[in-house]
Amino acid sequence: MEKEKRVHSSILIPYSYYSGRIPDYFPFVPLHWHREWELNVITEGNGVVRLGEKETEAKAGDIVLIQPELLHAITTDDRLFYDTVVFSSDMFGNGEDRSYRKMVHPLCLGRACLQIAEEKNVCYKEIRECADTVICCARENSAEADLLMKGELLRLLWFFYEGDLVSGNREPVQNGEIKAAIDYMSIHYAENITIADLAGQVNLSQSYFMQKFREMAGMGAAEYLNRLRIQKACEKILSGSSISGAAFDCGFRNLSNFNRQFRMMVGCTPREYRGRNVAEET
């Protein structure tokens, strides 16, 4: 669970487009957060999307709109392909007008939350049309397309409201300590990190830290750290690192433990993972 280091938006281009293919590009998307919004259109397969403290099954056709700073992750036991646009709140316009204050700002603060748009929703057709247009605009990546994208994002959010996919009047989840622990792990994952280290970083007792982390992440801190290390090792293996080098560079001190953890989380050995992805590129 980490705050992403990559830059998704700038003043000039306030969004980024990504194509996601699990397990082709990566074995899973670990729990993380960023300050931008995120739109995902699932095009193939099925999996589980974690949004904050809730896990929801997701399938082809579903549209997932994620609020800023919300912890989220994606896993699957099969395949899950999707298109993603990560964009700044600036795409919704002036933060001072009444529509922004009433309809957008509560979502940015976590005082309201969004549900996944499924095909059975009364506004799904309109939501899908808006989402597809946003994806096309992001791929085009031009000033003219940016103008159209802004309008489509406003329509998209409007149809989420019309489709009764927004629930409000909730207290924002207080998870600052957990995010701080996430950031610490994302920087120091190659080091020997203990629960005592993490709890000390956020000034919580070990027992309370473990309880709160599990509530927010759906898994223990030690399990999350192992998943983060495996994901980083996958990146290193695909970038040409040796398997043993990737293991030791990502915090594993025992190669047999690394191989065991890798197979359990990715579903194949590190060697098979590298061979499979090299074969798909040729």
Side-chain angles (χ1 to χ4, degrees), residues 166-217:
V166 183
S167 55
N169 300 319
R170 66 193 295 266
E171 285 298 315
V173 176
Q174 302 301 317
N175 55 18
E177 298 95 344
I178 302 306
K179 286 182 176 178
I182 294 165
D183 292 345
Y184 182 83
M185 282 188 278
S186 70
I187 296 170
H188 300 281
Y189 63 86
E191 302 171 17
N192 182 29
I193 300 175
T194 66
I195 297 298
D197 294 331
L198 295 171
Q201 285 291 321
V202 296
N203 299 313
L204 296 177
S205 69
Q206 291 187 49
S207 58
Y208 184 61
F209 170 75
M210 289 189 292
Q211 174 190 335
K212 192 164 185 180
F213 194 98
R214 185 171 291 279
E215 287 174 357
M216 292 305 306

Side-chain angles (χ1 to χ4, degrees), residues 75-281:
T75 59
T76 180
D77 293 329
D78 187 22
R79 298 170 72 84
L80 190 69
F81 297 172
Y82 55 94
D83 291 307
T84 298
V85 177
V86 181
F87 60 94
S88 166
S89 293
D90 293 341
M91 295 293 282
F92 284 125
N94 182 358
E96 297 300 318
D97 64 56
R98 64 182 181 182
S99 65
Y100 187 96
R101 289 186 177 185
K102 182 176 181 180
M103 313 296 282
V104 180
H105 199 47
L107 289 164
C108 293
L109 295 179
R111 291 178 180 163
C113 60
L114 297 162
Q115 300 173 41
I116 294 176
E118 300 178 275
E119 291 183 356
K120 64 183 180 182
N121 187 272
V122 64
C123 291
Y124 178 82
K125 179 176 178 291
E126 293 82 0
I127 290 172
R128 182 60 190 259
E129 288 173 353
C130 291
D132 286 345
T133 302
V134 169
I135 297 294
C136 288
C137 288
R139 285 172 171 164
E140 183 174 328
N141 191 13
S142 68
E144 295 78 7
D146 291 358
L147 187 62
L148 176 58
M149 187 194 297
K150 289 180 179 181
E152 289 301 297
L153 284 171
L154 289 169
R155 291 184 71 242
L156 177 74
L157 190 56
W158 164 255
F159 284 119
F160 264 81
Y161 273 100
E162 285 292 285
D164 200 24
L165 295 171
V166 183
S167 55
N169 300 319
R170 66 193 295 266
E171 285 298 315
V173 176
Q174 302 301 317
N175 55 18
E177 298 95 344
I178 302 306
K179 286 182 176 178
I182 294 165
D183 292 345
Y184 182 83
M185 282 188 278
S186 70
I187 296 170
H188 300 281
Y189 63 86
E191 302 171 17
N192 182 29
I193 300 175
T194 66
I195 297 298
D197 294 331
L198 295 171
Q201 285 291 321
V202 296
N203 299 313
L204 296 177
S205 69
Q206 291 187 49
S207 58
Y208 184 61
F209 170 75
M210 289 189 292
Q211 174 190 335
K212 192 164 185 180
F213 194 98
R214 185 171 291 279
E215 287 174 357
M216 292 305 306
M219 67 182 73
E223 180 183 351
Y224 170 74
L225 180 58
N226 275 336
R227 290 178 68 85
L228 176 63
R229 286 170 168 166
I230 291 295
Q231 189 238 357
K232 298 294 185 182
C234 286
E235 294 176 2
K236 289 182 178 294
I237 289 169
L238 293 185
S239 65
S241 175
S242 68
I243 291 170
S244 60
F248 292 120
D249 287 346
C250 293
F252 290 94
R253 299 294 173 259
N254 181 294
L255 194 56
S256 358
N257 179 46
F258 169 71
N259 287 327
R260 183 172 60 254
Q261 295 282 348
F262 196 101
R263 178 184 283 276
M264 181 176 66
M265 295 183 194
V266 182
C268 62
T269 67
R271 191 177 302 278
E272 289 169 343
Y273 179 76
R274 180 167 58 189
R276 182 181 67 193
N277 282 275
V278 168
E280 288 179 356
E281 289 175 2

